[in-house]
Structure formats: C-alpha cells, structure tokens
Amino acid sequence: MTIYLDYAATAPMRESAIEAYVTAAKEVFGNTQSLHDNGSDALKLYEGCKRTWGDLLKVRGEGVYFTGNASEGNQLAIRSFLRGRKGEQREIVTTQLEHASVLTTLHELEKEGYRIRYVPVGKDGVLEFDEYKKMVTDQTALVVIQLVNSEMGAIQPIAKCAAIAKENRVPFHCDVVQALGKIPVDLTSLGVTSAVCSGHKIGGPKGVGIVWLNPSIHWESTYEGTVHQQGFRAGTIDVPAIVSATIAAKEAISEQKQVFQHAENLQSYLQEHLPKEVEMIGKSVKKSPFILGVLLPHVEGQWMMLECNRHEMAISTGTACKIGAGEAMSAMSAIGIAQDAARKFIRLSIAKDTTKQELDTFLLILRNSMAKTTTR
C-alpha cells in the first residue's frame, strides 16, 4: 500500500523492535521454567520486561502478565477476577462500545447467569456518568470500560468511573489498547484494578498482549492446572516477542507528546477540509485524534474502503477483529445513528508518519466518489 491509514488495526514494526526480537531469539532462547542457565537467562529477561512495563504504566511490575494478544488478555482478566470473587454479585456494568473480545466474553457470561448492564452513551461516544453511578451497586461483580474507543476514538472518564467502583468495592477492568503511546496512560492515577494493552498497535510484534492485575486484588486461574505466570496463562513464555514489545512501548511512550500534537493537527486539518456533507464522529475535545470516524453521505463504507484500496490506500470500516460482524454498527447504534446511516461509516487511523498530503489524497478520492454519485 502506498498510503496506510489503518494504524488502529495494526502498525508496522519498529526497526528497534525487530532488532530486539532477533537478538533475544538468538541469544536468550531458553524456557523460563527450565532450571539451567539458559532458562535462568530467559527468566531474568522476562522479569526485567515486567519491571519495565510496571514503570511505563506507573504500577507494580509484579502484576504484569503477558498473553498471546490483547483479546485473550481481556478474556483472561475478566474471568480471573470473576472466579476470584466469592460473593453473590451477578451483575457486570459496561458499555456497548467495548472491543469485540470484551463483548463476546460478556455474552458468554450472560449465558452463565450474569446480568450485563450497559451504560448509555451520548452522541460523542462518552458514557452518561450519572447513569453509570446509578448502575454500580452492591450487586455489581465487575465494571468493564475501555479508555479509548476503537471506532470513533471517544475517551471515557475512567478515573471518575473507577473511583465510583472503588467506593462500592468493585473491580474495574480497562482496555487501554488504543490509548497506549497515544495519550498518557497512568494506571495508578486512573485507579483501575486491571488493564490490557497490545504490542502490535505501537510498533511491536503481533502475538503479545500485556495485562496488569492489581497484586492486592484476589483472582483465580481461568484454567485449572496452569503453572506459567503464577497461573494466569498457560504455555511457554515467548521472551523474544515480549522483549520486542517492551522496546516498542518505551519508544512509543517517549514520543507520545510530540506525536499527539501531530495527530491533533492532522485531525483539525481533516475536519476543516471535509466536504460539508461528510460528518466526523465525536467532539475533538473528548476523543483521541488518532482515530477519525467518518459518516459518508453517498455510499456504504465497504464501497469507499474498496475504492481507496483501488487507489492503493488502506482505510477501514471498523475494528479489524470483527469486520463483517457488526461491531461498528453496534457502536453507531449506541450513539443514536440509524442503521442505514451507520452502513456509511468509515474509519481512518493515523500515526506519526501520516502526512497532510496523504489526507489530501483521501479527500480527493472522497470528492471524486461524491461527484460520480451526483452525476449518475
């Protein structure tokens, strides 16, 4: 692809991350469970990565665990906390805007007897806080709310929400995948009980999810007999991939302020130059500038995605984990957009290498497509 505008789906690996992976794979290939020197070297490197992630997320490193991806991390964190709670609480508070991995897990839990309560959200994608406060009660077993929505970039008031959960002694799980390296992520300040992020969204390898569970909160293994990572996840730990993701995270966080300003400038530029018939979803002050959700006036999002692809440009019609299964439609419905209009949704997602010239190319493709439909 000549122009890539789908960074929320995945980002190309950083050269430093590739180099780190290759070096670790060659030199520190032992199994962290093995008692010989090769295993001990791998274990030391793994534990060093845990400490680094703790520093990056502003939390205790012993609560860091690694999974095969953030989707698995969400599933394991949610179920581990619920297994660890011995009370009678059977309600889970969340929103309709969560990632597919969360919504799928909650649908499964609903079949297992949990009641899922969805907090309403406004047109900007931000939850209605007064309604949220009413929903968190002594019957709540868990709150699950993401920091940044992957469709429109809405940023939720996580610190305020987590404080309410804490008052009611309810664990709070937060998906920060679309936030890490884009906006400040300080898990201690946010007050969450657990969080999940992903290596490949920030220039690390695919196949690495990062989970933090507050060490002071009790949880139990989702799968009995699991011995790796204190029982959180089964399977030999992929140390080279973890090292690579850690290097990518350090770089992404070090660049965050500068890259955020760049993204804000590009978001403003796109808003100023979009045809007046085209609507950008969400208020810029309440959203991440890295995710640009757009409603088209003339064609379905799938058509526009293919048209851009024909011009060697990559955009999206929604979260890649659930393309064709209605996640974007669900998010649009949650913010009050009718189904026919929601089909005309597309998502552009940008990064430090995105340029105004690339956005100009998108705008040209968009205007040409609108002209064609007008003259038919």
Side-chain angles (χ1 to χ4, degrees):
M1 281 293 163
T2 303
I3 297 176
Y4 189 73
L5 298 175
D6 198 19
Y7 287 92
T10 194
M13 281 187 72
R14 298 167 183 266
E15 287 299 322
S16 58
I18 295 172
E19 292 171 6
Y21 183 94
V22 172
T23 300
K26 287 180 177 179
E27 299 179 4
V28 194
F29 54 84
N31 188 320
T32 56
Q33 295 287 99
S34 299
L35 299 180
H36 48 59
D37 287 348
N38 284 342
S40 297
D41 290 343
L43 181 62
K44 288 176 184 176
L45 195 52
Y46 157 74
E47 290 177 340
C49 288
K50 281 170 63 79
R51 288 192 296 272
T52 298
W53 276 99
D55 292 340
L56 294 174
L57 298 173
K58 306 293 192 294
V59 288
R60 293 162 58 186
E62 64 265 35
V64 173
Y65 303 93
F66 300 99
T67 61
N69 46 66
S71 292
E72 182 192 32
N74 277 322
Q75 295 159 358
L76 289 177
I78 290 169
R79 287 193 171 274
S80 294
F81 274 134
L82 292 177
R83 284 175 67 92
R85 285 176 72 81
K86 304 301 183 183
E88 298 298 318
Q89 298 93 340
R90 302 294 289 180
E91 293 185 353
I92 299 172
V93 175
T94 189
T95 76
Q96 294 278 9
L97 302 181
E98 303 307 305
H99 186 263
S101 60
V102 169
L103 294 175
T104 299
T105 303
L106 297 183
H107 290 158
E108 293 172 352
L109 289 166
E110 194 168 29
K111 294 176 183 177
E112 296 170 21
Y114 284 89
R115 180 189 179 196
I116 313 302
R117 305 191 69 188
Y118 296 97
V119 183
V121 298
K123 190 170 182 182
D124 57 5
V126 178
L127 60 80
E128 296 181 8
F129 186 69
D130 289 341
E131 292 301 313
Y132 166 79
K133 286 196 294 184
K134 295 176 187 175
M135 289 186 177
V136 181
T137 70
D138 58 3
Q139 294 303 304
T140 307
L142 182 66
V143 175
V144 184
I145 299 174
Q146 66 190 183
L147 179 52
V148 175
N149 171 259
S150 57
E151 307 292 348
M152 66 199 82
I155 299 175
Q156 303 298 347
I158 295 300
K160 288 172 61 179
C161 292
I164 296 297
K166 187 174 182 179
E167 288 176 10
N168 290 273
R169 298 183 180 180
V170 178
F172 191 109
H173 176 69
C174 187
D175 178 329
V176 301
V177 167
Q178 297 293 349
L180 187 71
K182 310 294 196 304
I183 65 174
V185 177
D186 181 331
L187 297 185
T188 295
S189 295
L190 289 175
V192 300
T193 317
S194 61
V196 167
C197 47
S198 175
H200 74 96
K201 307 290 189 181
I202 52 174
K206 297 173 181 65
V208 182
I210 302 91
V211 181
W212 179 75
L213 306 177
N214 188 329
S216 66
I217 304 298
H218 179 67
W219 58 271
E220 292 183 4
S221 298
T222 300
Y223 303 109
E224 294 182 10
T226 300
V227 296
H228 288 82
Q229 301 193 77
Q230 292 77 54
F232 184 69
R233 180 183 187 253
T236 303
I237 296 169
D238 188 347
V239 174
I242 291 168
V243 170
S244 178
T246 305
I247 293 296
K250 289 176 69 175
E251 277 195 18
I253 291 171
S254 70
E255 301 167 349
Q256 184 260 309
K257 287 184 180 179
Q258 179 181 354
V259 177
F260 182 86
Q261 185 61 59
H262 175 65
E264 275 199 321
N265 292 339
L266 290 179
Q267 176 178 250
S268 297
Y269 183 81
L270 184 64
Q271 285 177 318
E272 291 168 8
H273 292 85
L274 278 174
K276 65 179 187 302
E277 302 91 344
V278 179
E279 179 185 0
M280 187 177 289
I281 304 298
K283 297 179 181 178
S284 60
V285 294
K286 294 183 178 180
K287 67 179 290 295
S288 166
F290 295 89
I291 298 176
L292 309 171
V294 174
L295 279 182
L296 304 171
H298 61 310
V299 294
E300 291 192 0
Q302 188 76 4
W303 187 95
M304 181 56 67
M305 186 272 290
L306 294 172
E307 180 69 2
C308 287
N309 189 67
R310 192 169 69 84
H311 289 85
E312 298 187 316
M313 172 181 289
I315 66 168
S316 172
T317 56
T319 301
C321 292
K322 212 172 180 184
I323 290 296
E327 187 176 3
M329 292 287 285
S330 174
M332 295 301 102
S333 176
I335 63 174
I337 294 175
Q339 192 172 46
D340 286 346
R343 290 195 182 96
K344 297 175 182 178
F345 174 83
I346 59 172
R347 182 188 73 183
L348 282 64
S349 45
I350 60 180
K352 67 175 182 176
D353 295 326
T354 307
T355 65
K356 288 182 179 179
Q357 289 74 23
E358 290 176 331
L359 295 184
D360 283 337
T361 302
F362 165 75
L363 290 165
L364 179 61
I365 296 169
L366 174 60
R367 292 192 188 99
N368 287 341
S369 71
M370 292 174 67
K372 288 178 185 176
T373 58
T374 302
T375 56
R376 283 177 186 171

